[in-house]
Amino acid sequence: ALAEAVKRQATYTARESDAPATLNLENSGVDQSLLEFLVDHRLLNGQEAMVINLDRCTRCDDCVRACAATHDNNPRFVRQGHRHGPLMVAQACMHCVDPVCMIGCPTGAIGRDGVSGVVQINDRTCIGCSTRANSCPYDNIQMVEVRDQSGATLIDASTQQPIAKATKCDLCTGLPGGPACQQACPQDALVRLDLGNLGELSAFVGR
């Protein structure tokens, strides 16, 4: 049953990306329990999942600080998540094959870039309705208070409440070298992986 579930996900991934399926269960190098973990938590949907090897991670939080420094002191992920042995899939947008967060946004503020595949939120059209944050099954979209250049929280004139908008990992689009979190890790403990590509995962586990 597990093999069939993984193969179905591989077929779906290939259909969505117009690329050949990459899963080879016999030669993947990924053990049965890890496959069950990925299927049970629906993580095969993640094309850019943040995976941390906790045996190497020193909990220095350089990754979090780098993310914050790149995004106006607002880190876009949480260094916690589902664990399997030494591996943890952190709470960071995975830029899913099938991103349900894109369904139902009243202003169309969230969408996938046609070139990079990155799922992005347009701050100018986001109205802070929380639809995106509530629809993410992985809790990887957060509502964050908007601040001005001085750091003061912006207040809605009609409600007198802080203005909040949806925010999530954008893979540091435009930053040379890729995601700041991965660049900042001094222990090479953090990578962004396509969890539907068991070869990539096996290579990381086997380091």
Side-chain angles (χ1 to χ4, degrees), residues 65-145:
R65 283 189 286 272
C67 181
T70 308
H71 298 99
D72 300 320
N73 293 319
N74 172 34
R76 296 192 173 190
F77 75 95
V78 180
R79 190 177 54 77
Q80 65 183 30
H82 295 299
R83 300 186 180 192
H84 179 273
L87 300 182
M88 178 175 71
V89 180
Q91 280 188 254
C93 177
M94 301 192 299
H95 304 273
C96 295
V97 173
D98 181 25
V100 297
C101 62
M102 288 173 53
I103 302 171
C105 178
T107 63
I110 188 167
R112 191 196 294 279
D113 182 84
V115 177
S116 67
V118 174
V119 178
Q120 299 173 312
I121 295 174
N122 186 328
D123 288 339
R124 290 174 297 179
T125 54
C126 175
I127 58 174
C129 67
S130 301
T131 301
R132 305 301 92 241
N134 294 334
S135 65
C136 175
Y138 307 102
D139 295 323
N140 290 340
I141 300 178
Q142 306 298 322
M143 299 303 296
V144 175
E145 293 180 359

Side-chain angles (χ1 to χ4, degrees), residues 16-58:
E16 289 298 303
S17 63
D18 294 324
T22 55
L23 294 180
N24 183 325
L25 297 181
E26 290 75 18
N27 301 308
S28 69
V30 177
D31 65 41
Q32 181 83 1
S33 63
L34 181 51
L35 286 174
E36 290 175 353
F37 166 77
L38 295 174
V39 171
D40 288 346
H41 295 289
R42 298 175 293 171
L43 296 173
L44 290 170
N45 198 25
Q47 297 185 109
E48 292 285 351
M50 179 186 291
V51 182
I52 299 175
N53 185 325
L54 297 175
D55 284 347
R56 295 183 209 148
C57 176
T58 62

